[in-house]
Amino acid sequence: MEALDKYKEYANAVVNGDIVACEYVRLACKKYLDWFDKYEFKPDKVDRVVNFIGKLRHFTGKHNGKPFKLLPYQYWIICNIFGFYYPNTNKRVINYIYIELARKQGKTALAAAIVLYMLIADGENGSECELVANSTKQAKICFELASNFLQSIDSKGKYFKRYRDKIKFDKTKSFLQVLSSDAGGNDGYNSYCFVLDECHEQPDSKLWDVMVSSQGMRENSLAMIITTAGFNKFGFCYNYRQTCIDILHGLKEDDSQFSAIYTIDDNDDWKNPEIWIKANPSLNHTVLPDYLEQQVKKAVNNSTLEVGTRTKN
Protein backbone atom coordinates (compact mmCIF):
# COMPACT_ATOMS: atom_id res chain seq x y z
CA MET A 1 0.00 0.00 0.00
CA GLU A 2 1.40 3.38 -1.02
CA ALA A 3 1.85 6.04 1.64
CA LEU A 4 -0.81 8.30 0.11
CA ASP A 5 -3.42 5.64 -0.72
CA LYS A 6 -5.71 6.39 2.22
CA TYR A 7 -5.88 10.05 1.18
CA LYS A 8 -6.96 9.01 -2.33
CA GLU A 9 -9.39 6.23 -1.40
CA TYR A 10 -12.65 8.20 -1.60
CA ALA A 11 -11.70 10.06 -4.79
CA ASN A 12 -10.61 6.85 -6.51
CA ALA A 13 -13.85 5.13 -5.50
CA VAL A 14 -15.92 7.98 -6.94
CA VAL A 15 -13.95 8.18 -10.19
CA ASN A 16 -14.08 4.38 -10.61
CA GLY A 17 -17.83 4.31 -10.00
CA ASP A 18 -17.62 2.34 -6.76
CA ILE A 19 -19.33 5.23 -4.96
CA VAL A 20 -22.44 6.71 -6.58
CA ALA A 21 -21.86 10.43 -7.10
CA CYS A 22 -23.02 13.23 -9.35
CA GLU A 23 -21.02 14.73 -12.20
CA TYR A 24 -19.80 17.69 -10.12
CA VAL A 25 -18.37 15.45 -7.40
CA ARG A 26 -16.74 13.17 -9.99
CA LEU A 27 -15.08 16.19 -11.61
CA ALA A 28 -13.91 17.44 -8.21
CA CYS A 29 -12.46 14.02 -7.36
CA LYS A 30 -10.64 13.80 -10.69
CA LYS A 31 -9.21 17.28 -10.14
CA TYR A 32 -8.15 16.27 -6.64
CA LEU A 33 -6.25 13.22 -7.90
CA ASP A 34 -4.56 15.27 -10.63
CA TRP A 35 -3.32 17.74 -8.04
CA PHE A 36 -0.96 15.19 -6.51
CA ASP A 37 1.23 15.80 -9.57
CA LYS A 38 0.68 19.56 -9.58
CA TYR A 39 1.08 20.61 -5.94
CA GLU A 40 2.77 19.38 -2.79
CA PHE A 41 0.49 17.24 -0.63
CA LYS A 42 1.31 17.30 3.08
CA PRO A 43 -0.23 14.30 4.88
CA ASP A 44 0.85 15.58 8.30
CA LYS A 45 -1.25 18.71 7.83
CA VAL A 46 -4.33 16.63 7.05
CA ASP A 47 -3.66 14.26 9.95
CA ARG A 48 -3.39 17.21 12.31
CA VAL A 49 -6.87 18.45 11.35
CA VAL A 50 -8.41 14.97 11.48
CA ASN A 51 -6.90 14.30 14.90
CA PHE A 52 -8.20 17.62 16.19
CA ILE A 53 -11.74 16.99 14.94
CA GLY A 54 -11.60 13.49 16.43
CA LYS A 55 -11.19 15.01 19.91
CA LEU A 56 -14.51 16.84 19.61
CA ARG A 57 -17.57 14.98 20.84
CA HIS A 58 -21.14 15.05 19.63
CA PHE A 59 -23.83 16.07 22.06
CA THR A 60 -27.22 15.21 20.52
CA GLY A 61 -29.25 12.09 19.76
CA LYS A 62 -27.70 8.68 19.27
CA HIS A 63 -24.24 10.21 18.70
CA ASN A 64 -24.19 11.98 22.08
CA GLY A 65 -20.80 11.61 23.75
CA LYS A 66 -19.20 9.93 20.75
CA PRO A 67 -16.11 11.41 19.09
CA PHE A 68 -16.52 13.25 15.79
CA LYS A 69 -15.49 10.59 13.29
CA LEU A 70 -15.34 11.91 9.75
CA LEU A 71 -17.26 10.06 7.07
CA PRO A 72 -15.28 9.24 3.90
CA TYR A 73 -16.58 12.23 1.93
CA GLN A 74 -15.89 14.56 4.88
CA TYR A 75 -12.36 13.18 5.13
CA TRP A 76 -11.92 13.91 1.41
CA ILE A 77 -13.11 17.49 1.96
CA ILE A 78 -10.52 17.95 4.73
CA CYS A 79 -7.82 16.52 2.44
CA ASN A 80 -8.72 19.04 -0.25
CA ILE A 81 -8.73 22.05 2.03
CA PHE A 82 -5.71 21.30 4.20
CA GLY A 83 -3.57 18.93 2.13
CA PHE A 84 -2.31 20.89 -0.86
CA TYR A 85 0.45 23.48 -0.71
CA TYR A 86 2.44 25.43 -3.23
CA PRO A 87 5.77 23.55 -3.54
CA ASN A 88 8.39 24.37 -0.91
CA THR A 89 6.10 26.78 0.94
CA ASN A 90 3.61 26.79 3.80
CA LYS A 91 0.99 28.49 1.61
CA ARG A 92 -2.19 26.47 1.15
CA VAL A 93 -3.65 26.28 -2.34
CA ILE A 94 -7.28 26.40 -1.18
CA ASN A 95 -8.67 29.61 0.29
CA TYR A 96 -12.30 29.47 -0.86
CA ILE A 97 -14.76 26.66 -0.18
CA TYR A 98 -18.25 25.98 -1.51
CA ILE A 99 -20.09 22.99 -0.03
CA GLU A 100 -23.65 22.20 -1.07
CA LEU A 101 -25.58 19.30 0.45
CA ALA A 102 -29.15 18.25 1.08
CA ARG A 103 -30.63 18.83 4.52
CA LYS A 104 -29.56 16.78 7.54
CA GLN A 105 -26.07 15.88 6.26
CA GLY A 106 -24.16 17.38 9.19
CA LYS A 107 -22.69 20.19 7.10
CA THR A 108 -22.97 22.80 9.87
CA ALA A 109 -21.28 20.48 12.37
CA LEU A 110 -18.39 19.96 9.93
CA ALA A 111 -18.12 23.71 9.39
CA ALA A 112 -18.09 24.29 13.16
CA ALA A 113 -15.28 21.74 13.57
CA ILE A 114 -13.23 23.36 10.80
CA VAL A 115 -13.64 26.88 12.18
CA LEU A 116 -12.61 25.66 15.64
CA TYR A 117 -9.46 24.17 14.17
CA MET A 118 -8.71 27.49 12.48
CA LEU A 119 -9.33 29.27 15.78
CA ILE A 120 -7.24 26.97 17.97
CA ALA A 121 -4.78 24.76 16.12
CA ASP A 122 -3.77 26.17 12.72
CA GLY A 123 -0.89 28.12 14.21
CA GLU A 124 -2.31 31.60 13.61
CA ASN A 125 -1.77 34.02 16.47
CA GLY A 126 -4.60 36.50 16.77
CA SER A 127 -6.88 34.28 14.72
CA GLU A 128 -10.16 36.05 14.08
CA CYS A 129 -12.97 33.71 13.03
CA GLU A 130 -16.54 34.58 12.12
CA LEU A 131 -19.79 32.71 11.67
CA VAL A 132 -21.95 34.77 9.34
CA ALA A 133 -25.40 34.39 7.82
CA ASN A 134 -28.37 36.39 6.61
CA SER A 135 -29.73 36.54 10.17
CA THR A 136 -28.23 36.34 13.64
CA LYS A 137 -30.52 33.40 14.39
CA GLN A 138 -29.06 31.40 11.48
CA ALA A 139 -25.45 32.32 12.32
CA LYS A 140 -25.93 31.21 15.93
CA ILE A 141 -26.83 27.67 14.88
CA CYS A 142 -23.22 27.05 13.89
CA PHE A 143 -22.03 29.04 16.92
CA GLU A 144 -23.97 26.82 19.33
CA LEU A 145 -22.49 23.73 17.69
CA ALA A 146 -18.99 25.15 18.07
CA SER A 147 -19.64 26.14 21.68
CA ASN A 148 -20.90 22.67 22.56
CA PHE A 149 -17.93 21.04 20.84
CA LEU A 150 -15.64 23.19 22.98
CA GLN A 151 -17.50 22.03 26.08
CA SER A 152 -16.36 18.49 25.27
CA ILE A 153 -12.67 19.45 25.33
CA ASP A 154 -12.76 22.23 27.94
CA SER A 155 -15.64 21.43 30.27
CA LYS A 156 -14.35 23.71 33.06
CA GLY A 157 -13.78 26.73 30.82
CA LYS A 158 -10.06 26.79 31.60
CA TYR A 159 -8.93 27.81 28.10
CA PHE A 160 -12.00 29.27 26.41
CA LYS A 161 -14.30 32.03 27.56
CA ARG A 162 -17.76 31.57 26.08
CA TYR A 163 -20.19 34.46 25.78
CA ARG A 164 -23.60 34.89 24.12
CA ASP A 165 -22.17 35.48 20.65
CA LYS A 166 -18.40 35.28 21.12
CA ILE A 167 -15.75 32.78 22.22
CA LYS A 168 -12.31 33.97 23.30
CA PHE A 169 -9.10 31.93 23.25
CA ASP A 170 -6.77 34.17 25.23
CA LYS A 171 -3.71 31.95 24.85
CA THR A 172 -3.25 33.14 21.25
CA LYS A 173 -5.41 36.31 21.51
CA SER A 174 -7.91 34.69 19.17
CA PHE A 175 -11.69 34.76 19.07
CA LEU A 176 -14.78 33.43 17.29
CA GLN A 177 -17.81 35.64 16.85
CA VAL A 178 -21.25 35.77 15.25
CA LEU A 179 -22.02 38.29 12.50
CA SER A 180 -25.03 38.71 10.24
CA SER A 181 -26.48 40.83 7.47
CA ASP A 182 -29.31 42.04 9.69
CA ALA A 183 -26.89 43.28 12.36
CA GLY A 184 -25.04 45.63 10.00
CA GLY A 185 -21.63 47.22 10.65
CA ASN A 186 -19.50 44.33 9.37
CA ASP A 187 -16.60 46.46 8.18
CA GLY A 188 -13.27 46.73 9.97
CA TYR A 189 -12.54 43.08 10.59
CA ASN A 190 -9.37 41.07 10.02
CA SER A 191 -10.84 37.63 9.41
CA TYR A 192 -8.70 34.52 9.29
CA CYS A 193 -11.60 32.15 8.71
CA PHE A 194 -15.30 32.72 8.21
CA VAL A 195 -18.25 30.46 7.47
CA LEU A 196 -21.23 31.79 5.53
CA ASP A 197 -24.12 29.50 6.46
CA GLU A 198 -27.13 28.92 4.17
CA CYS A 199 -25.70 31.18 1.49
CA HIS A 200 -28.80 30.71 -0.69
CA GLU A 201 -30.62 33.14 1.66
CA GLN A 202 -28.22 36.00 0.83
CA PRO A 203 -29.95 38.65 -1.32
CA ASP A 204 -26.63 39.85 -2.77
CA SER A 205 -22.85 39.54 -2.39
CA LYS A 206 -22.35 42.43 0.04
CA LEU A 207 -21.72 40.34 3.16
CA TRP A 208 -19.42 37.95 1.30
CA ASP A 209 -17.49 40.84 -0.26
CA VAL A 210 -16.97 42.57 3.07
CA MET A 211 -15.72 39.40 4.76
CA VAL A 212 -13.39 38.41 1.90
CA SER A 213 -11.92 41.91 1.76
CA SER A 214 -11.13 41.63 5.49
CA GLN A 215 -8.80 38.68 4.83
CA GLY A 216 -6.27 40.55 2.72
CA MET A 217 -3.42 40.30 5.22
CA ARG A 218 -3.93 36.61 6.11
CA GLU A 219 -1.80 34.13 4.15
CA ASN A 220 -3.77 30.93 4.76
CA SER A 221 -7.23 32.37 5.27
CA LEU A 222 -10.38 30.37 4.58
CA ALA A 223 -13.68 31.72 3.26
CA MET A 224 -16.27 28.97 3.48
CA ILE A 225 -19.81 28.68 2.13
CA ILE A 226 -22.05 25.88 3.37
CA THR A 227 -25.56 25.67 2.06
CA THR A 228 -28.49 23.64 0.92
CA ALA A 229 -29.81 24.41 -2.55
CA GLY A 230 -32.13 27.40 -2.78
CA PHE A 231 -34.95 28.67 -4.94
CA ASN A 232 -33.46 31.94 -6.23
CA LYS A 233 -31.63 31.45 -9.52
CA PHE A 234 -30.83 35.15 -9.79
CA GLY A 235 -29.11 35.58 -6.43
CA PHE A 236 -25.50 35.61 -5.29
CA CYS A 237 -25.40 31.95 -4.23
CA TYR A 238 -26.62 30.53 -7.54
CA ASN A 239 -24.16 32.70 -9.48
CA TYR A 240 -21.30 31.64 -7.19
CA ARG A 241 -22.34 28.02 -7.63
CA GLN A 242 -22.29 28.42 -11.41
CA THR A 243 -18.77 29.84 -11.25
CA CYS A 244 -17.71 26.78 -9.23
CA ILE A 245 -19.27 24.51 -11.86
CA ASP A 246 -17.46 26.37 -14.64
CA ILE A 247 -14.17 25.84 -12.79
CA LEU A 248 -14.90 22.12 -12.41
CA HIS A 249 -15.58 21.89 -16.15
CA GLY A 250 -12.37 23.76 -16.95
CA LEU A 251 -14.21 26.74 -18.45
CA LYS A 252 -12.70 29.02 -15.82
CA GLU A 253 -9.48 28.72 -13.83
CA ASP A 254 -9.12 29.28 -10.08
CA ASP A 255 -7.24 26.70 -8.02
CA SER A 256 -7.92 28.63 -4.82
CA GLN A 257 -11.57 27.51 -5.07
CA PHE A 258 -12.69 24.11 -3.78
CA SER A 259 -16.22 22.93 -4.53
CA ALA A 260 -18.17 19.95 -3.25
CA ILE A 261 -21.61 20.09 -4.86
CA TYR A 262 -23.66 17.07 -3.85
CA THR A 263 -26.79 16.93 -5.98
CA ILE A 264 -28.56 14.60 -8.41
CA ASP A 265 -27.81 14.82 -12.12
CA ASP A 266 -30.21 16.37 -14.63
CA ASN A 267 -31.30 13.03 -16.12
CA ASP A 268 -31.86 11.31 -12.75
CA ASP A 269 -35.29 10.24 -11.54
CA TRP A 270 -35.55 12.02 -8.18
CA LYS A 271 -37.91 9.30 -6.94
CA ASN A 272 -35.29 6.55 -7.41
CA PRO A 273 -33.73 5.60 -4.02
CA GLU A 274 -30.52 4.45 -5.73
CA ILE A 275 -29.55 8.02 -6.60
CA TRP A 276 -30.48 9.72 -3.32
CA ILE A 277 -26.94 9.27 -2.02
CA LYS A 278 -25.72 11.72 -4.69
CA ALA A 279 -27.28 14.59 -2.72
CA ASN A 280 -27.11 12.82 0.63
CA PRO A 281 -23.55 11.50 1.14
CA SER A 282 -24.29 11.05 4.87
CA LEU A 283 -27.12 8.63 4.04
CA ASN A 284 -27.52 5.96 6.76
CA HIS A 285 -25.49 8.11 9.17
CA THR A 286 -27.10 11.50 9.77
CA VAL A 287 -30.18 10.90 7.63
CA LEU A 288 -32.03 7.63 7.09
CA PRO A 289 -33.50 6.26 3.84
CA ASP A 290 -36.88 5.91 5.57
CA TYR A 291 -36.99 9.67 6.15
CA LEU A 292 -36.21 10.44 2.50
CA GLU A 293 -38.75 7.86 1.38
CA GLN A 294 -41.41 9.60 3.46
CA GLN A 295 -40.56 13.02 2.02
CA VAL A 296 -40.62 11.72 -1.54
CA LYS A 297 -43.92 9.91 -0.99
CA LYS A 298 -45.49 13.08 0.39
CA ALA A 299 -44.23 15.05 -2.62
CA VAL A 300 -45.61 12.46 -5.05
CA ASN A 301 -48.98 12.57 -3.30
CA ASN A 302 -49.05 16.38 -3.07
CA SER A 303 -47.56 18.23 -6.04
CA THR A 304 -47.23 21.47 -4.07
CA LEU A 305 -44.49 19.79 -2.00
CA GLU A 306 -42.44 18.56 -4.97
CA VAL A 307 -40.29 21.64 -5.55
CA GLY A 308 -39.37 21.91 -1.88
CA THR A 309 -38.54 18.21 -1.59
CA ARG A 310 -36.45 18.15 -4.74
CA THR A 311 -34.59 21.31 -3.73
CA LYS A 312 -33.92 20.52 -0.06
CA ASN A 313 -33.70 16.71 0.04
Side-chain angles (χ1 to χ4, degrees):
M1 182 176 180
E2 293 184 12
L4 297 178
D5 279 357
K6 73 173 184 177
Y7 305 99
K8 299 179 180 180
E9 188 173 353
Y10 177 83
N12 277 324
V14 168
V15 171
N16 294 336
D18 296 326
I19 291 177
V20 178
C22 71
E23 177 189 15
Y24 304 143
V25 174
R26 288 195 301 271
L27 288 171
C29 284
K30 186 179 184 305
K31 180 179 181 179
Y32 171 79
L33 294 172
D34 290 343
W35 271 18
F36 281 86
D37 294 323
K38 184 176 183 179
Y39 295 112
E40 182 180 356
F41 186 81
K42 297 186 178 183
D44 59 310
K45 300 291 188 180
V46 172
D47 294 346
R48 181 177 172 84
V49 181
V50 173
N51 290 337
F52 174 85
I53 294 176
K55 295 183 185 302
L56 306 176
R57 292 186 176 272
H58 295 291
F59 49 90
T60 57
K62 66 180 182 180
H63 300 292
N64 181 46
K66 295 180 180 178
F68 195 140
K69 184 178 180 181
L70 294 168
L71 297 175
Y73 84 95
Q74 294 173 325
Y75 184 82
W76 169 72
I77 287 173
I78 295 298
C79 288
N80 270 278
I81 299 170
F82 294 98
F84 292 108
Y85 287 74
Y86 291 101
N88 304 313
T89 74
N90 285 315
K91 175 70 174 72
R92 281 194 291 261
V93 177
I94 297 296
N95 296 113
Y96 303 95
I97 302 154
Y98 179 87
I99 299 174
E100 179 184 309
L101 298 157
R103 279 178 176 163
K104 307 299 181 184
Q105 302 304 302
K107 64 183 182 304
T108 307
L110 178 63
I114 290 173
V115 80
L116 284 178
Y117 175 82
M118 295 292 285
L119 173 73
I120 301 166
D122 199 48
E124 184 81 356
N125 200 60
S127 176
E128 182 179 310
C129 300
E130 282 83 20
L131 301 171
V132 301
N134 197 46
S135 67
T136 301
K137 182 179 179 181
Q138 182 63 49
K140 291 198 77 170
I141 293 174
C142 192
F143 179 81
E144 291 301 326
L145 282 168
S147 182
N148 283 318
F149 278 147
L150 281 181
Q151 180 71 19
S152 70
I153 59 174
D154 183 33
S155 60
K156 296 182 179 180
K158 183 177 180 181
Y159 301 103
F160 304 97
K161 297 176 181 177
R162 295 191 291 275
Y163 304 95
R164 185 178 65 178
D165 55 6
K166 195 168 191 175
I167 295 171
K168 290 185 176 181
F169 182 40
D170 289 339
K171 183 177 181 180
T172 60
K173 298 180 175 61
S174 301
F175 63 86
L176 169 67
Q177 64 182 345
V178 171
L179 301 174
S180 63
S181 297
D182 60 10
N186 290 326
D187 287 308
Y189 297 110
N190 182 23
S191 180
Y192 184 52
C193 172
F194 74 88
V195 176
L196 174 54
D197 196 5
E198 295 298 8
C199 177
H200 68 89
E201 295 179 351
Q202 292 296 315
D204 51 47
S205 67
K206 289 181 181 178
L207 182 58
W208 173 262
D209 294 340
V210 166
M211 295 310 302
V212 168
S213 67
S214 77
Q215 295 184 318
M217 297 185 67
R218 303 279 195 174
E219 183 178 55
N220 280 322
S221 61
L222 289 183
M224 184 174 181
I225 289 173
I226 56 167
T227 190
T228 54
F231 302 100
N232 182 7
K233 290 191 174 183
F234 300 97
F236 162 66
C237 188
Y238 190 83
N239 287 327
Y240 196 99
R241 178 188 197 264
Q242 189 57 54
T243 297
C244 292
I245 292 170
D246 289 344
I247 293 170
L248 290 172
H249 280 293
L251 301 176
K252 295 178 180 177
E253 186 176 346
D254 184 358
D255 284 355
S256 69
Q257 177 69 56
F258 166 69
S259 308
I261 303 173
Y262 284 88
T263 183
I264 63 173
D265 291 304
D266 290 340
N267 59 347
D268 284 331
D269 177 7
W270 62 279
K271 300 182 291 295
N272 179 7
E274 293 183 4
I275 59 92
W276 292 346
I277 195 171
K278 289 184 178 183
N280 296 268
S282 296
L283 195 63
N284 288 312
H285 295 278
T286 63
V287 67
L288 299 176
D290 289 351
Y291 169 79
L292 292 180
E293 185 178 354
Q294 291 172 0
Q295 301 309 304
V296 169
K297 187 176 292 184
K298 289 179 182 297
V300 171
N301 292 338
N302 184 348
S303 60
T304 61
L305 300 176
E306 181 178 331
V307 172
T309 298
R310 294 179 65 172
T311 302
K312 295 300 181 182
N313 299 118

